Amino acid sequence: MHRHHYAQYAAHSWVAGALLMGLLLCGASARADDARKLATTVCAACHGPDGNSADPQYPKLAGMEQEYLLRQLSAFASGKRREEAMTAVLANVDPGLFSGLAAYFGSFAAAPGKVANAQLAAQGKPLYDDGNTDSGVPACAGCHQPDGKGNARFPRLAGQHQAYVLKQLADYKSGRRATDALMTTVGKRLTATEAQALAEYIAGL
Ligand code: HEC
Ligand code: HEC
């Protein structure tokens, strides 16, 4: 008798467990679907359907680590990083979808960038690889990798639009983007010409 009850209980809890698991999985895939829908209907207008934006004021998101993209979405939402277009868009997005959005855009291959000024790009290379010891600018390659592909801690820069890179360096400098103390220092120490040369070099990586 006792034994029979136990078996019944065990069977019930197995069924309940399986049902719960099914619901959780359903919830997770509904979330991924919601994120994909939002990405293709809303975000794609500026960032491109595959995260390779055509307009240089909008960053390419393709090929970037999910962790980095997620951190930036939270920074826009909290006001640590300020930009009207993104703040307005995210005001209507459930933060529970941020991680799915980051995974979606990061999953595509990044399209190569276009160098507009080869002479400037050539000036950018030694700066990128070795920094500027006179003004205390660290080597970008030390963190973002020599090929600019980055890793989980340091974002990918390779092939990014010049205009976007220049704006970020200026925003770190002015404090509009207060997401990283070291990048604020980098922004402050770079001259305008150095920033331009770096943006050209990065576009060609
Ligand atoms: C109206 C245009 C517009 C739309 C729509 C838009 N974005 Fe953006 N997004 C921008 C701009 C502009 C920036 C650059 C902000 C800056 O200069 O700091 C940006 C930056 C970002 C960044 C930071 C990238 C980096 O390299 O640090 C992420 C992540 C991002 N957007 C994700 C999204 C997602 C996800 C959506 C949809 C929910 C979305 N964006 C919709 C314009 C847009
Ligand atoms: C000590 C490591 C380190 C060094 C050196 C470094 N960076 Fe960064 N960089 C970072 C980190 C970390 C971030 C992301 C910070 C954040 O969350 O805003 C970043 C972000 C950036 C971004 C914004 C990327 C985006 O998608 O919005 C640009 C542009 C950039 N770095 C350019 C440079 C350049 C150019 C140099 C060299 C002059 C450089 N960095 C040197 C660590 C570094």
Side-chain angles (χ1 to χ4, degrees):
M1 200 61 190
H2 188 224
R3 189 175 237 164
H4 174 76
H5 268 139
Y6 177 77
Q8 216 169 31
Y9 169 79
H12 278 148
S13 73
W14 188 86
V15 169
L19 274 174
L20 182 65
M21 198 60 179
L23 279 173
L24 286 175
L25 286 175
C26 247
S29 75
R31 280 246 142 133
D33 278 350
D34 286 349
R36 201 171 319 123
K37 212 174 290 165
L38 191 67
T40 50
T41 55
V42 176
C43 322
C46 295
H47 295 287
D50 61 352
N52 284 300
S53 56
D55 186 327
Q57 67 177 304
Y58 304 129
K60 290 180 188 171
L61 307 177
M64 298 191 95
E65 293 280 343
Q66 176 184 18
E67 200 182 305
Y68 169 77
L69 294 176
L70 175 59
R71 217 174 340 118
Q72 298 311 310
L73 290 173
S74 308
F76 284 122
S78 73
K80 252 176 117 177
R81 183 171 173 184
R82 283 176 292 139
E83 206 280 325
E84 290 75 17
M86 280 305 299
T87 310
V89 170
L90 294 185
N92 303 308
V93 175
D94 170 7
L97 296 179
F98 286 1
S99 133
L101 288 165
Y104 179 82
F105 281 115
S107 70
F108 295 100
K114 279 192 207 90
V115 173
N117 184 330
Q119 207 182 332
L120 256 184
Q123 288 170 28
K125 181 174 167 54
L127 259 175
Y128 184 91
D129 289 341
D130 307 319
N132 180 342
T133 39
D134 293 342
S135 56
V137 172
C140 321
C143 294
H144 295 281
Q145 307 296 303
D147 61 4
K149 292 203 176 123
N151 55 37
R153 276 184 69 197
F154 307 117
R156 176 192 176 94
L157 300 177
Q160 187 58 274
H161 298 300
Q162 287 93 324
Y164 171 76
V165 168
L166 275 175
K167 179 172 182 287
Q168 297 318 300
L169 294 173
D171 282 0
Y172 280 124
K173 180 178 187 159
S174 71
R176 226 179 124 75
R177 178 169 177 176
T179 46
D180 189 83
L182 181 111
M183 282 309 303
T184 300
T185 305
V186 168
K188 289 199 164 126
R189 290 184 179 167
L190 286 172
T191 66
T193 319
E194 284 177 331
Q196 264 162 4
L198 283 165
E200 279 297 331
Y201 180 67
I202 284 168
L205 279 176

